[in-house]
Amino acid sequence: SSGINAEYGGTARRCVRWVARIPYLDLLNDNSYIDPFLLQSMKVFGYFYVVDVPEYSAAVEQDYMKNFYDLDEDVKDELAIRRHNPANKNAYRGYSPWIG
């Protein structure tokens, strides 16, 4: 966070306001006007926000996350990214166990 503060001359919270917020329907409809916003956000921050998702509920999402992390480790390991589970064909998405 201090690197972000130094680079942008302000607080990390202020920087989050610069992250692109892309409407869900614009992603689905392949609206090209979002491309420069999405690209800049990915270059600078490595992510963007998807907003206005129909029927989205943060509370429901938190319930799903809690239920997932309450599962036994062997169940979660089946979904681990390829680095932790070579059988998972998706190398970039999935559960990553905490290694401490």
Side-chain angles (χ1 to χ4, degrees):
S1 143
S2 62
I4 291 172
N5 288 336
E7 184 173 348
Y8 292 100
T11 66
R13 179 191 290 188
R14 215 178 314 155
C15 291
V16 171
R17 288 188 294 190
W18 299 335
V19 174
R21 297 179 187 316
I22 309 297
Y24 176 77
L25 291 178
D26 289 337
L27 284 173
L28 289 182
N29 295 326
D30 199 26
N31 288 334
S32 61
Y33 87 89
I34 67 173
D35 292 351
F37 301 108
L38 195 146
L39 181 62
Q40 183 65 16
S41 190
M42 291 301 292
K43 282 182 177 179
V44 174
F45 301 104
Y47 69 98
F48 60 93
Y49 292 110
V50 178
V51 297
D52 302 327
V53 178
E55 301 179 32
Y56 171 75
S57 166
V60 170
E61 182 177 2
Q62 285 180 328
D63 287 344
Y64 279 118
M65 287 188 288
K66 181 175 178 350
N67 290 338
F68 176 78
Y69 283 97
D70 286 345
L71 293 171
D72 290 335
E73 288 299 319
D74 59 331
V75 174
K76 291 186 285 193
D77 287 343
E78 292 177 18
L79 303 170
I81 59 176
R82 187 180 298 163
R83 186 173 89 187
H84 302 287
N85 177 4
N88 187 350
K89 293 178 182 163
N90 190 333
Y92 304 107
R93 292 188 180 172
Y95 170 70
S96 180
W98 183 77
I99 300 174

Short mmCIF file of all heavy atoms in Angstrom, two decimals, residues 21-86:
data_model
loop_
_atom_site.label_atom_id
_atom_site.label_comp_id
_atom_site.label_asym_id
_atom_site.label_seq_id
_atom_site.Cartn_x
_atom_site.Cartn_y
_atom_site.Cartn_z
N ARG A 21 -14.73 0.74 -13.31
CA ARG A 21 -15.98 0.10 -12.92
C ARG A 21 -16.76 -0.15 -14.20
O ARG A 21 -17.27 0.78 -14.81
CB ARG A 21 -16.76 0.98 -11.97
CG ARG A 21 -16.04 1.23 -10.66
CD ARG A 21 -16.84 2.15 -9.76
NE ARG A 21 -16.23 2.60 -8.54
CZ ARG A 21 -15.54 1.92 -7.65
NH1 ARG A 21 -15.31 0.68 -7.84
NH2 ARG A 21 -15.06 2.47 -6.56
N ILE A 22 -16.82 -1.42 -14.61
CA ILE A 22 -17.42 -1.78 -15.89
C ILE A 22 -18.80 -2.39 -15.66
O ILE A 22 -18.93 -3.39 -14.95
CB ILE A 22 -16.52 -2.80 -16.64
CG1 ILE A 22 -15.08 -2.32 -16.72
CG2 ILE A 22 -17.10 -3.13 -18.01
CD1 ILE A 22 -14.87 -1.04 -17.50
N PRO A 23 -19.85 -1.80 -16.26
CA PRO A 23 -21.19 -2.37 -16.11
C PRO A 23 -21.27 -3.78 -16.70
O PRO A 23 -20.76 -4.06 -17.79
CB PRO A 23 -22.09 -1.40 -16.88
CG PRO A 23 -21.33 -0.12 -16.89
CD PRO A 23 -19.88 -0.53 -16.97
N TYR A 24 -21.89 -4.66 -15.97
CA TYR A 24 -22.04 -6.06 -16.35
C TYR A 24 -22.58 -6.21 -17.77
O TYR A 24 -22.04 -6.99 -18.57
CB TYR A 24 -22.97 -6.73 -15.33
CG TYR A 24 -23.30 -8.17 -15.61
CD1 TYR A 24 -22.39 -9.17 -15.34
CD2 TYR A 24 -24.55 -8.53 -16.12
CE1 TYR A 24 -22.69 -10.49 -15.58
CE2 TYR A 24 -24.86 -9.85 -16.37
CZ TYR A 24 -23.93 -10.82 -16.10
OH TYR A 24 -24.23 -12.13 -16.34
N LEU A 25 -23.63 -5.50 -18.10
CA LEU A 25 -24.23 -5.63 -19.43
C LEU A 25 -23.29 -5.17 -20.53
O LEU A 25 -23.32 -5.71 -21.64
CB LEU A 25 -25.56 -4.87 -19.51
CG LEU A 25 -26.69 -5.48 -18.67
CD1 LEU A 25 -27.95 -4.62 -18.77
CD2 LEU A 25 -26.98 -6.91 -19.11
N ASP A 26 -22.42 -4.21 -20.25
CA ASP A 26 -21.45 -3.78 -21.25
C ASP A 26 -20.42 -4.88 -21.53
O ASP A 26 -19.95 -5.03 -22.66
CB ASP A 26 -20.75 -2.50 -20.83
CG ASP A 26 -21.67 -1.29 -20.90
OD1 ASP A 26 -22.67 -1.34 -21.66
OD2 ASP A 26 -21.40 -0.31 -20.20
N LEU A 27 -20.08 -5.64 -20.53
CA LEU A 27 -19.18 -6.79 -20.74
C LEU A 27 -19.87 -7.85 -21.59
O LEU A 27 -19.28 -8.41 -22.50
CB LEU A 27 -18.75 -7.39 -19.40
CG LEU A 27 -17.70 -6.63 -18.62
CD1 LEU A 27 -17.52 -7.26 -17.25
CD2 LEU A 27 -16.38 -6.61 -19.36
N LEU A 28 -21.13 -8.12 -21.28
CA LEU A 28 -21.87 -9.14 -22.04
C LEU A 28 -22.09 -8.73 -23.48
O LEU A 28 -22.07 -9.57 -24.38
CB LEU A 28 -23.24 -9.40 -21.39
CG LEU A 28 -23.25 -10.13 -20.06
CD1 LEU A 28 -24.69 -10.33 -19.60
CD2 LEU A 28 -22.54 -11.47 -20.17
N ASN A 29 -22.32 -7.44 -23.70
CA ASN A 29 -22.65 -6.95 -25.04
C ASN A 29 -21.43 -6.55 -25.85
O ASN A 29 -21.56 -6.03 -26.95
CB ASN A 29 -23.62 -5.76 -24.94
CG ASN A 29 -24.94 -6.19 -24.36
OD1 ASN A 29 -25.41 -7.30 -24.59
ND2 ASN A 29 -25.56 -5.31 -23.59
N ASP A 30 -20.24 -6.76 -25.30
CA ASP A 30 -18.99 -6.49 -26.01
C ASP A 30 -18.92 -5.04 -26.49
O ASP A 30 -18.53 -4.77 -27.62
CB ASP A 30 -18.82 -7.47 -27.17
CG ASP A 30 -17.38 -7.55 -27.65
OD1 ASP A 30 -16.48 -7.28 -26.83
OD2 ASP A 30 -17.17 -7.89 -28.82
N ASN A 31 -19.30 -4.10 -25.62
CA ASN A 31 -19.24 -2.67 -25.96
C ASN A 31 -17.78 -2.22 -25.96
O ASN A 31 -17.11 -2.25 -24.94
CB ASN A 31 -20.05 -1.84 -24.97
CG ASN A 31 -21.53 -2.03 -25.17
OD1 ASN A 31 -21.98 -2.35 -26.27
ND2 ASN A 31 -22.30 -1.82 -24.12
N SER A 32 -17.31 -1.77 -27.10
CA SER A 32 -15.89 -1.43 -27.24
C SER A 32 -15.50 -0.16 -26.50
O SER A 32 -14.32 0.06 -26.25
CB SER A 32 -15.51 -1.31 -28.72
OG SER A 32 -16.26 -0.29 -29.33
N TYR A 33 -16.46 0.68 -26.12
CA TYR A 33 -16.09 1.91 -25.40
C TYR A 33 -15.42 1.61 -24.06
O TYR A 33 -14.69 2.43 -23.53
CB TYR A 33 -17.30 2.83 -25.19
CG TYR A 33 -18.11 2.55 -23.95
CD1 TYR A 33 -17.78 3.17 -22.74
CD2 TYR A 33 -19.16 1.66 -23.96
CE1 TYR A 33 -18.49 2.92 -21.59
CE2 TYR A 33 -19.88 1.40 -22.81
CZ TYR A 33 -19.55 2.03 -21.64
OH TYR A 33 -20.25 1.76 -20.49
N ILE A 34 -15.65 0.42 -23.51
CA ILE A 34 -15.05 0.08 -22.21
C ILE A 34 -13.59 -0.33 -22.34
O ILE A 34 -12.86 -0.34 -21.36
CB ILE A 34 -15.84 -1.03 -21.48
CG1 ILE A 34 -15.73 -2.36 -22.22
CG2 ILE A 34 -17.27 -0.60 -21.24
CD1 ILE A 34 -16.35 -3.53 -21.48
N ASP A 35 -13.14 -0.66 -23.54
CA ASP A 35 -11.80 -1.21 -23.73
C ASP A 35 -10.69 -0.35 -23.13
O ASP A 35 -9.84 -0.88 -22.41
CB ASP A 35 -11.52 -1.49 -25.21
CG ASP A 35 -12.37 -2.61 -25.77
OD1 ASP A 35 -13.05 -3.30 -24.97
OD2 ASP A 35 -12.37 -2.80 -27.00
N PRO A 36 -10.63 0.95 -23.42
CA PRO A 36 -9.51 1.72 -22.84
C PRO A 36 -9.55 1.80 -21.32
O PRO A 36 -8.51 1.78 -20.67
CB PRO A 36 -9.65 3.11 -23.46
CG PRO A 36 -10.97 3.16 -24.12
CD PRO A 36 -11.45 1.75 -24.31
N PHE A 37 -10.75 1.84 -20.74
CA PHE A 37 -10.88 1.88 -19.28
C PHE A 37 -10.42 0.56 -18.67
O PHE A 37 -9.69 0.52 -17.69
CB PHE A 37 -12.32 2.18 -18.86
CG PHE A 37 -12.84 3.47 -19.41
CD1 PHE A 37 -13.78 3.49 -20.41
CD2 PHE A 37 -12.37 4.69 -18.91
CE1 PHE A 37 -14.26 4.68 -20.92
CE2 PHE A 37 -12.84 5.89 -19.41
CZ PHE A 37 -13.79 5.89 -20.43
N LEU A 38 -10.87 -0.52 -19.27
CA LEU A 38 -10.52 -1.85 -18.79
C LEU A 38 -9.01 -2.08 -18.92
O LEU A 38 -8.36 -2.51 -17.98
CB LEU A 38 -11.30 -2.89 -19.61
CG LEU A 38 -11.36 -4.28 -19.06
CD1 LEU A 38 -12.70 -4.89 -19.39
CD2 LEU A 38 -10.26 -5.12 -19.59
N LEU A 39 -8.46 -1.72 -20.08
CA LEU A 39 -7.04 -1.92 -20.32
C LEU A 39 -6.18 -1.11 -19.34
O LEU A 39 -5.24 -1.63 -18.74
CB LEU A 39 -6.69 -1.56 -21.76
CG LEU A 39 -5.24 -1.74 -22.18
CD1 LEU A 39 -4.83 -3.20 -22.06
CD2 LEU A 39 -5.04 -1.25 -23.60
N GLN A 40 -6.51 0.16 -19.17
CA GLN A 40 -5.75 1.00 -18.25
C GLN A 40 -5.82 0.48 -16.82
O GLN A 40 -4.81 0.44 -16.11
CB GLN A 40 -6.23 2.45 -18.32
CG GLN A 40 -5.44 3.40 -17.46
CD GLN A 40 -3.99 3.55 -17.89
OE1 GLN A 40 -3.60 3.19 -18.99
NE2 GLN A 40 -3.17 4.07 -17.00
N SER A 41 -7.01 0.08 -16.41
CA SER A 41 -7.18 -0.43 -15.05
C SER A 41 -6.36 -1.71 -14.84
O SER A 41 -5.73 -1.90 -13.81
CB SER A 41 -8.66 -0.69 -14.78
OG SER A 41 -8.87 -0.96 -13.42
N MET A 42 -6.35 -2.58 -15.85
CA MET A 42 -5.58 -3.82 -15.74
C MET A 42 -4.07 -3.53 -15.73
O MET A 42 -3.33 -4.17 -15.01
CB MET A 42 -5.94 -4.78 -16.88
CG MET A 42 -7.34 -5.33 -16.78
SD MET A 42 -7.66 -6.24 -15.25
CE MET A 42 -6.61 -7.66 -15.48
N LYS A 43 -3.62 -2.57 -16.53
CA LYS A 43 -2.20 -2.22 -16.57
C LYS A 43 -1.73 -1.63 -15.25
O LYS A 43 -0.66 -1.95 -14.75
CB LYS A 43 -1.93 -1.21 -17.68
CG LYS A 43 -1.87 -1.80 -19.05
CD LYS A 43 -1.55 -0.70 -20.05
CE LYS A 43 -1.40 -1.23 -21.45
NZ LYS A 43 -1.11 -0.14 -22.41
N VAL A 44 -2.53 -0.74 -14.68
CA VAL A 44 -2.12 -0.02 -13.48
C VAL A 44 -2.38 -0.81 -12.20
O VAL A 44 -1.55 -0.87 -11.32
CB VAL A 44 -2.81 1.36 -13.41
CG1 VAL A 44 -2.51 2.07 -12.10
CG2 VAL A 44 -2.39 2.22 -14.59
N PHE A 45 -3.57 -1.41 -12.11
CA PHE A 45 -3.99 -2.05 -10.86
C PHE A 45 -4.05 -3.57 -10.92
O PHE A 45 -4.05 -4.23 -9.90
CB PHE A 45 -5.37 -1.53 -10.43
CG PHE A 45 -5.40 -0.04 -10.25
CD1 PHE A 45 -5.98 0.78 -11.20
CD2 PHE A 45 -4.83 0.54 -9.13
CE1 PHE A 45 -6.00 2.16 -11.02
CE2 PHE A 45 -4.84 1.91 -8.95
CZ PHE A 45 -5.43 2.73 -9.91
N GLY A 46 -4.18 -4.13 -12.12
CA GLY A 46 -4.27 -5.58 -12.26
C GLY A 46 -5.68 -6.12 -12.10
O GLY A 46 -5.89 -7.32 -12.09
N TYR A 47 -6.67 -5.24 -12.00
CA TYR A 47 -8.05 -5.67 -11.89
C TYR A 47 -8.99 -4.52 -12.23
O TYR A 47 -8.56 -3.39 -12.41
CB TYR A 47 -8.37 -6.20 -10.48
CG TYR A 47 -8.37 -5.15 -9.39
CD1 TYR A 47 -9.56 -4.59 -8.95
CD2 TYR A 47 -7.18 -4.72 -8.80
CE1 TYR A 47 -9.57 -3.63 -7.95
CE2 TYR A 47 -7.18 -3.78 -7.81
CZ TYR A 47 -8.37 -3.23 -7.38
OH TYR A 47 -8.38 -2.28 -6.40
N PHE A 48 -10.27 -4.84 -12.35
CA PHE A 48 -11.32 -3.86 -12.54
C PHE A 48 -12.56 -4.37 -11.81
O PHE A 48 -12.63 -5.55 -11.47
CB PHE A 48 -11.62 -3.60 -14.03
CG PHE A 48 -12.06 -4.82 -14.79
CD1 PHE A 48 -13.40 -5.14 -14.93
CD2 PHE A 48 -11.12 -5.66 -15.37
CE1 PHE A 48 -13.80 -6.26 -15.62
CE2 PHE A 48 -11.51 -6.79 -16.06
CZ PHE A 48 -12.87 -7.09 -16.19
N TYR A 49 -13.50 -3.49 -11.56
CA TYR A 49 -14.74 -3.88 -10.91
C TYR A 49 -15.83 -4.12 -11.95
O TYR A 49 -15.92 -3.38 -12.93
CB TYR A 49 -15.25 -2.77 -9.98
CG TYR A 49 -14.40 -2.52 -8.76
CD1 TYR A 49 -13.66 -1.36 -8.64
CD2 TYR A 49 -14.36 -3.45 -7.72
CE1 TYR A 49 -12.89 -1.12 -7.53
CE2 TYR A 49 -13.58 -3.21 -6.60
CZ TYR A 49 -12.85 -2.05 -6.51
OH TYR A 49 -12.08 -1.81 -5.41
N VAL A 50 -16.63 -5.14 -11.74
CA VAL A 50 -17.84 -5.34 -12.53
C VAL A 50 -18.99 -4.86 -11.66
O VAL A 50 -19.16 -5.32 -10.53
CB VAL A 50 -18.03 -6.83 -12.92
CG1 VAL A 50 -19.33 -7.02 -13.71
CG2 VAL A 50 -16.83 -7.33 -13.70
N VAL A 51 -19.76 -3.90 -12.19
CA VAL A 51 -20.85 -3.30 -11.41
C VAL A 51 -22.19 -3.57 -12.09
O VAL A 51 -22.25 -3.98 -13.25
CB VAL A 51 -20.64 -1.79 -11.22
CG1 VAL A 51 -19.37 -1.52 -10.42
CG2 VAL A 51 -20.59 -1.06 -12.55
N ASP A 52 -23.24 -3.30 -11.35
CA ASP A 52 -24.62 -3.45 -11.84
C ASP A 52 -24.91 -4.88 -12.29
O ASP A 52 -25.53 -5.11 -13.33
CB ASP A 52 -24.91 -2.47 -12.98
CG ASP A 52 -24.69 -1.03 -12.55
OD1 ASP A 52 -24.92 -0.72 -11.37
OD2 ASP A 52 -24.27 -0.22 -13.40
N VAL A 53 -24.47 -5.85 -11.49
CA VAL A 53 -24.72 -7.25 -11.80
C VAL A 53 -26.14 -7.58 -11.31
O VAL A 53 -26.43 -7.43 -10.13
CB VAL A 53 -23.69 -8.17 -11.11
CG1 VAL A 53 -23.99 -9.63 -11.39
CG2 VAL A 53 -22.28 -7.79 -11.55
N PRO A 54 -27.00 -8.04 -12.22
CA PRO A 54 -28.37 -8.35 -11.82
C PRO A 54 -28.43 -9.41 -10.73
O PRO A 54 -27.69 -10.39 -10.77
CB PRO A 54 -29.02 -8.88 -13.11
CG PRO A 54 -28.13 -8.43 -14.21
CD PRO A 54 -26.76 -8.30 -13.63
N GLU A 55 -29.26 -9.17 -9.76
CA GLU A 55 -29.53 -10.12 -8.67
C GLU A 55 -28.30 -10.44 -7.82
O GLU A 55 -28.26 -11.45 -7.13
CB GLU A 55 -30.15 -11.40 -9.20
CG GLU A 55 -31.46 -11.16 -9.93
CD GLU A 55 -32.07 -12.43 -10.48
OE1 GLU A 55 -31.90 -13.50 -9.86
OE2 GLU A 55 -32.72 -12.34 -11.53
N TYR A 56 -27.27 -9.59 -7.86
CA TYR A 56 -26.08 -9.81 -7.05
C TYR A 56 -26.36 -9.43 -5.60
O TYR A 56 -26.99 -8.42 -5.31
CB TYR A 56 -24.90 -8.98 -7.55
CG TYR A 56 -23.73 -9.02 -6.60
CD1 TYR A 56 -22.93 -10.14 -6.52
CD2 TYR A 56 -23.45 -7.96 -5.75
CE1 TYR A 56 -21.87 -10.21 -5.63
CE2 TYR A 56 -22.40 -8.01 -4.86
CZ TYR A 56 -21.61 -9.13 -4.81
OH TYR A 56 -20.57 -9.20 -3.92
N SER A 57 -25.85 -10.24 -4.68
CA SER A 57 -25.98 -9.95 -3.26
C SER A 57 -24.64 -10.26 -2.58
O SER A 57 -24.18 -11.41 -2.60
CB SER A 57 -27.08 -10.82 -2.65
OG SER A 57 -27.00 -10.79 -1.24
N ALA A 58 -24.03 -9.25 -2.00
CA ALA A 58 -22.78 -9.45 -1.28
C ALA A 58 -22.96 -10.42 -0.12
O ALA A 58 -22.08 -11.22 0.18
CB ALA A 58 -22.23 -8.12 -0.78
N ALA A 59 -24.11 -10.37 0.53
CA ALA A 59 -24.37 -11.26 1.67
C ALA A 59 -24.40 -12.72 1.21
O ALA A 59 -23.84 -13.60 1.87
CB ALA A 59 -25.68 -10.89 2.34
N VAL A 60 -25.02 -12.97 0.06
CA VAL A 60 -25.07 -14.34 -0.47
C VAL A 60 -23.67 -14.80 -0.86
O VAL A 60 -23.28 -15.93 -0.58
CB VAL A 60 -26.04 -14.43 -1.67
CG1 VAL A 60 -25.92 -15.77 -2.38
CG2 VAL A 60 -27.48 -14.18 -1.22
N GLU A 61 -22.90 -13.90 -1.47
CA GLU A 61 -21.53 -14.24 -1.84
C GLU A 61 -20.69 -14.59 -0.60
O GLU A 61 -19.94 -15.56 -0.60
CB GLU A 61 -20.87 -13.08 -2.59
CG GLU A 61 -19.46 -13.40 -3.04
CD GLU A 61 -18.84 -12.28 -3.84
OE1 GLU A 61 -19.46 -11.22 -4.03
OE2 GLU A 61 -17.69 -12.47 -4.27
N GLN A 62 -20.84 -13.81 0.46
CA GLN A 62 -20.11 -14.10 1.70
C GLN A 62 -20.52 -15.45 2.27
O GLN A 62 -19.68 -16.19 2.79
CB GLN A 62 -20.33 -13.00 2.71
CG GLN A 62 -19.57 -11.75 2.37
CD GLN A 62 -19.77 -10.64 3.39
OE1 GLN A 62 -20.84 -10.52 3.98
NE2 GLN A 62 -18.75 -9.84 3.58
N ASP A 63 -21.80 -15.78 2.19
CA ASP A 63 -22.27 -17.09 2.66
C ASP A 63 -21.60 -18.22 1.87
O ASP A 63 -21.17 -19.22 2.44
CB ASP A 63 -23.79 -17.21 2.56
CG ASP A 63 -24.51 -16.39 3.61
OD1 ASP A 63 -23.87 -15.98 4.61
OD2 ASP A 63 -25.73 -16.17 3.44
N TYR A 64 -21.53 -18.05 0.53
CA TYR A 64 -20.87 -19.07 -0.30
C TYR A 64 -19.40 -19.21 0.07
O TYR A 64 -18.87 -20.32 0.18
CB TYR A 64 -20.98 -18.72 -1.79
CG TYR A 64 -22.29 -19.10 -2.41
CD1 TYR A 64 -23.12 -18.14 -2.96
CD2 TYR A 64 -22.70 -20.43 -2.49
CE1 TYR A 64 -24.33 -18.48 -3.55
CE2 TYR A 64 -23.90 -20.78 -3.07
CZ TYR A 64 -24.71 -19.80 -3.60
OH TYR A 64 -25.90 -20.16 -4.18
N MET A 65 -18.72 -18.08 0.27
CA MET A 65 -17.30 -18.13 0.63
C MET A 65 -17.10 -18.81 1.98
O MET A 65 -16.21 -19.65 2.14
CB MET A 65 -16.70 -16.73 0.66
CG MET A 65 -16.51 -16.15 -0.73
SD MET A 65 -15.59 -14.60 -0.75
CE MET A 65 -16.78 -13.48 -0.04
N LYS A 66 -17.94 -18.47 2.95
CA LYS A 66 -17.82 -19.09 4.27
C LYS A 66 -18.06 -20.60 4.17
O LYS A 66 -17.30 -21.39 4.74
CB LYS A 66 -18.79 -18.47 5.25
CG LYS A 66 -18.68 -19.09 6.64
CD LYS A 66 -19.55 -18.42 7.64
CE LYS A 66 -19.50 -19.01 9.01
NZ LYS A 66 -18.85 -20.25 9.24
N ASN A 67 -19.09 -20.98 3.42
CA ASN A 67 -19.39 -22.41 3.25
C ASN A 67 -18.22 -23.13 2.58
O ASN A 67 -17.87 -24.25 2.97
CB ASN A 67 -20.66 -22.61 2.44
CG ASN A 67 -21.90 -22.21 3.22
OD1 ASN A 67 -21.89 -22.16 4.44
ND2 ASN A 67 -22.96 -21.90 2.50
N PHE A 68 -17.60 -22.49 1.58
CA PHE A 68 -16.47 -23.12 0.91
C PHE A 68 -15.30 -23.30 1.88
O PHE A 68 -14.73 -24.38 1.98
CB PHE A 68 -16.02 -22.28 -0.29
CG PHE A 68 -14.80 -22.84 -0.95
CD1 PHE A 68 -14.89 -23.94 -1.79
CD2 PHE A 68 -13.55 -22.30 -0.70
CE1 PHE A 68 -13.76 -24.48 -2.38
CE2 PHE A 68 -12.41 -22.83 -1.29
CZ PHE A 68 -12.52 -23.92 -2.13
N TYR A 69 -14.93 -22.25 2.59
CA TYR A 69 -13.77 -22.35 3.47
C TYR A 69 -14.02 -23.22 4.69
O TYR A 69 -13.08 -23.65 5.34
CB TYR A 69 -13.25 -20.96 3.83
CG TYR A 69 -12.46 -20.41 2.67
CD1 TYR A 69 -13.04 -19.54 1.76
CD2 TYR A 69 -11.16 -20.82 2.45
CE1 TYR A 69 -12.33 -19.08 0.66
CE2 TYR A 69 -10.44 -20.38 1.36
CZ TYR A 69 -11.03 -19.51 0.48
OH TYR A 69 -10.33 -19.07 -0.61
N ASP A 70 -15.27 -23.52 4.97
CA ASP A 70 -15.59 -24.46 6.04
C ASP A 70 -15.48 -25.91 5.59
O ASP A 70 -15.53 -26.82 6.42
CB ASP A 70 -17.00 -24.20 6.58
CG ASP A 70 -17.07 -22.95 7.44
OD1 ASP A 70 -16.01 -22.45 7.86
OD2 ASP A 70 -18.19 -22.46 7.69
N LEU A 71 -15.32 -26.16 4.28
CA LEU A 71 -15.18 -27.53 3.78
C LEU A 71 -13.88 -28.15 4.27
O LEU A 71 -12.92 -27.45 4.60
CB LEU A 71 -15.19 -27.53 2.25
CG LEU A 71 -16.48 -27.13 1.56
CD1 LEU A 71 -16.24 -26.98 0.05
CD2 LEU A 71 -17.58 -28.13 1.83
N ASP A 72 -13.82 -29.47 4.26
CA ASP A 72 -12.59 -30.18 4.61
C ASP A 72 -11.51 -29.83 3.58
O ASP A 72 -11.79 -29.58 2.41
CB ASP A 72 -12.81 -31.69 4.60
CG ASP A 72 -13.69 -32.15 5.75
OD1 ASP A 72 -13.73 -31.44 6.78
OD2 ASP A 72 -14.33 -33.22 5.62
N GLU A 73 -10.26 -29.84 4.03
CA GLU A 73 -9.14 -29.49 3.15
C GLU A 73 -9.07 -30.38 1.92
O GLU A 73 -8.78 -29.90 0.82
CB GLU A 73 -7.81 -29.57 3.92
CG GLU A 73 -7.62 -28.44 4.91
CD GLU A 73 -7.59 -27.07 4.29
OE1 GLU A 73 -6.99 -26.88 3.21
OE2 GLU A 73 -8.20 -26.16 4.89
N ASP A 74 -9.35 -31.68 2.05
CA ASP A 74 -9.25 -32.57 0.90
C ASP A 74 -10.29 -32.22 -0.17
O ASP A 74 -10.03 -32.36 -1.36
CB ASP A 74 -9.34 -34.05 1.31
CG ASP A 74 -10.64 -34.40 2.03
OD1 ASP A 74 -11.21 -33.52 2.69
OD2 ASP A 74 -11.06 -35.57 1.92
N VAL A 75 -11.44 -31.73 0.23
CA VAL A 75 -12.47 -31.30 -0.73
C VAL A 75 -12.00 -30.04 -1.46
O VAL A 75 -12.08 -29.95 -2.70
CB VAL A 75 -13.82 -31.05 -0.03
CG1 VAL A 75 -14.85 -30.48 -0.99
CG2 VAL A 75 -14.34 -32.34 0.61
N LYS A 76 -11.45 -29.09 -0.73
CA LYS A 76 -10.96 -27.86 -1.35
C LYS A 76 -9.75 -28.14 -2.25
O LYS A 76 -9.60 -27.52 -3.30
CB LYS A 76 -10.59 -26.83 -0.29
CG LYS A 76 -11.80 -26.28 0.44
CD LYS A 76 -11.44 -25.17 1.38
CE LYS A 76 -10.78 -25.70 2.61
NZ LYS A 76 -10.68 -24.72 3.69
N ASP A 77 -8.91 -29.09 -1.86
CA ASP A 77 -7.72 -29.42 -2.65
C ASP A 77 -8.07 -29.91 -4.05
O ASP A 77 -7.30 -29.75 -4.99
CB ASP A 77 -6.85 -30.45 -1.93
CG ASP A 77 -6.12 -29.85 -0.75
OD1 ASP A 77 -6.00 -28.61 -0.68
OD2 ASP A 77 -5.66 -30.63 0.11
N GLU A 78 -9.25 -30.51 -4.23
CA GLU A 78 -9.68 -30.96 -5.55
C GLU A 78 -9.85 -29.78 -6.50
O GLU A 78 -9.78 -29.94 -7.71
CB GLU A 78 -10.99 -31.74 -5.45
CG GLU A 78 -10.85 -33.07 -4.75
CD GLU A 78 -12.18 -33.79 -4.60
OE1 GLU A 78 -13.14 -33.43 -5.32
OE2 GLU A 78 -12.27 -34.69 -3.77
N LEU A 79 -10.07 -28.59 -5.96
CA LEU A 79 -10.28 -27.39 -6.77
C LEU A 79 -9.04 -26.50 -6.84
O LEU A 79 -9.09 -25.42 -7.42
CB LEU A 79 -11.45 -26.59 -6.20
CG LEU A 79 -12.77 -27.35 -6.09
CD1 LEU A 79 -13.77 -26.55 -5.30
CD2 LEU A 79 -13.30 -27.70 -7.46
N ALA A 80 -7.96 -26.96 -6.26
CA ALA A 80 -6.74 -26.15 -6.20
C ALA A 80 -6.20 -25.85 -7.59
O ALA A 80 -6.34 -26.66 -8.51
CB ALA A 80 -5.69 -26.86 -5.36
N ILE A 81 -5.57 -24.68 -7.73
CA ILE A 81 -4.97 -24.34 -9.01
C ILE A 81 -3.88 -25.36 -9.36
O ILE A 81 -3.39 -26.07 -8.48
CB ILE A 81 -4.41 -22.91 -9.01
CG1 ILE A 81 -3.37 -22.72 -7.91
CG2 ILE A 81 -5.52 -21.89 -8.90
CD1 ILE A 81 -2.72 -21.35 -7.92
N ARG A 82 -3.52 -25.42 -10.61
CA ARG A 82 -2.62 -26.47 -11.11
C ARG A 82 -1.33 -26.59 -10.32
O ARG A 82 -0.81 -27.67 -10.11
CB ARG A 82 -2.30 -26.23 -12.58
CG ARG A 82 -1.50 -27.39 -13.17
CD ARG A 82 -1.16 -27.20 -14.61
NE ARG A 82 -2.36 -27.12 -15.41
CZ ARG A 82 -2.39 -26.65 -16.63
NH1 ARG A 82 -1.27 -26.23 -17.20
NH2 ARG A 82 -3.51 -26.59 -17.31
N ARG A 83 -0.80 -25.46 -9.85
CA ARG A 83 0.45 -25.51 -9.09
C ARG A 83 0.32 -26.42 -7.87
O ARG A 83 1.26 -27.07 -7.45
CB ARG A 83 0.84 -24.11 -8.66
CG ARG A 83 2.19 -24.04 -7.99
CD ARG A 83 2.59 -22.63 -7.73
NE ARG A 83 2.08 -22.27 -6.41
CZ ARG A 83 2.13 -21.06 -5.90
NH1 ARG A 83 2.61 -20.07 -6.60
NH2 ARG A 83 1.68 -20.81 -4.71
N HIS A 84 -0.88 -26.46 -7.30
CA HIS A 84 -1.12 -27.27 -6.11
C HIS A 84 -1.84 -28.57 -6.41
O HIS A 84 -1.85 -29.48 -5.60
CB HIS A 84 -1.93 -26.47 -5.08
CG HIS A 84 -1.26 -25.20 -4.68
ND1 HIS A 84 -0.14 -25.17 -3.87
CD2 HIS A 84 -1.52 -23.92 -4.99
CE1 HIS A 84 0.25 -23.92 -3.70
NE2 HIS A 84 -0.57 -23.14 -4.38
N ASN A 85 -2.48 -28.66 -7.60
CA ASN A 85 -3.21 -29.85 -8.00
C ASN A 85 -3.02 -30.04 -9.50
O ASN A 85 -3.76 -29.47 -10.30
CB ASN A 85 -4.70 -29.72 -7.66
CG ASN A 85 -5.51 -30.92 -8.11
OD1 ASN A 85 -4.98 -31.89 -8.63
ND2 ASN A 85 -6.82 -30.85 -7.92
N PRO A 86 -2.04 -30.85 -9.94
CA PRO A 86 -1.76 -31.03 -11.36
C PRO A 86 -2.96 -31.55 -12.17
O PRO A 86 -3.00 -31.37 -13.37
CB PRO A 86 -0.61 -32.04 -11.38
CG PRO A 86 0.01 -31.95 -10.03
CD PRO A 86 -1.10 -31.58 -9.10
#
